[in-house]
């Protein structure tokens, strides 16, 4: 790992925020076996894994890749210095330096929603680069502001049955999102 920032777990795996390598790593608990990563593909794996891990620079891996490397990216599916992670049922919630909160399907590693500071979006309503709900495809990047519903440096994430809480260490605020809809739901 290089600069691990956070960790989450279920009964099978530990998920590690690998900040400097711009990816989320997965390790099996029972034997400590490294079991893949998600992020934007930089160098493709060469060990015969899933075909979606084979093309460098084309977006997110969409599966847990083994081998190869990830690269920094604000594009959909990429991670730009991931900072925090939380697990809720079959989803991981990951924050990154792009000012985004991403929802990741644990079983396949696909990013299936993005909220907070976004650009170049589909599948959601955006007001001044702030997602008003879960975007099915969205880039991050730029400089998020103090606007309602954004976190410039999302340093921590927590979840309960109704909300996602994201602490912004740059603007010293706690931002709340509706977990189901992804809509901004207050600043605390």
């Amino acid at each position: 790992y290089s600069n691990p920032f956070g960790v989450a777990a279920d009964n099978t795996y530990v998920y590690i925020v690998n900040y400097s390598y711009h990816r989320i790593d997965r390790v099996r608990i029972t034997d400590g076996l490294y079991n893949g990563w998600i992020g934007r593909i930089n160098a493709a794996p060469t060990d015969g894994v899933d075909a979606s891990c084979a093309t460098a620079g084309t977006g997110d891996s969409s599966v847990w890749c083994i081998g190869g490397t990830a690269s920094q990216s604000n594009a959909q599916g990429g991670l730009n210095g991931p900072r925090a992670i939380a697990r809720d049922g079959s989803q991981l919630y990951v924050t990154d330096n792009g000012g985004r909160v991403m929802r990741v399907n644990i079983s396949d590693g696909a990013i299936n929603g993005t909220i907070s500071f976004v650009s170049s979006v589909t599948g959601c309503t955006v007001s001044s680069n702030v997602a008003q709900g879960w975007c099915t495809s969205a880039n991050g990047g730029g400089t998020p502001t103090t606007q309602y519903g954004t976190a410039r440096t999302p340093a921590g994430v927590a979840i309960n049955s109704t909300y996602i809480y994201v602490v912004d260490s740059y603007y010293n605020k706690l931002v709340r999102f509706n977990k189901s809809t992804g809509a901004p739901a207050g600043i605390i």
Side-chain angles (χ1 to χ4, degrees), residues 4-85:
F5 262 54
V7 64
D10 55 28
N11 289 329
T12 307
Y13 298 105
V14 174
Y15 306 92
I16 300 119
V17 175
N18 202 332
Y19 178 84
S20 294
Y21 288 154
H22 308 288
R23 65 190 194 190
I24 303 301
D25 292 320
R26 182 173 72 171
V27 175
R28 193 166 50 209
I29 293 171
T30 56
D31 57 8
L33 180 68
Y34 183 80
N35 205 253
W37 60 269
I38 56 171
R40 186 168 183 84
I41 299 166
N42 180 45
T46 57
D47 57 359
V49 296
D50 189 287
S52 63
C53 291
T55 308
T58 59
D60 70 275
S61 58
S62 298
V63 297
W64 293 97
C65 295
I66 297 177
T69 60
S71 63
Q72 176 180 344
S73 176
N74 284 317
Q76 168 66 20
L79 296 169
N80 176 0
R83 300 182 67 83
I85 191 168

Side-chain angles (χ1 to χ4, degrees), residues 1 8 19 37 45 47 53 77 79 86 111 133 135 139 151 159 164 187:
Y1 309 107
Y19 178 84
W37 60 269
D47 57 359
C53 291
L79 296 169
I111 294 174
C135 299
N139 293 344
I159 299 159
I164 301 165
I187 297 172

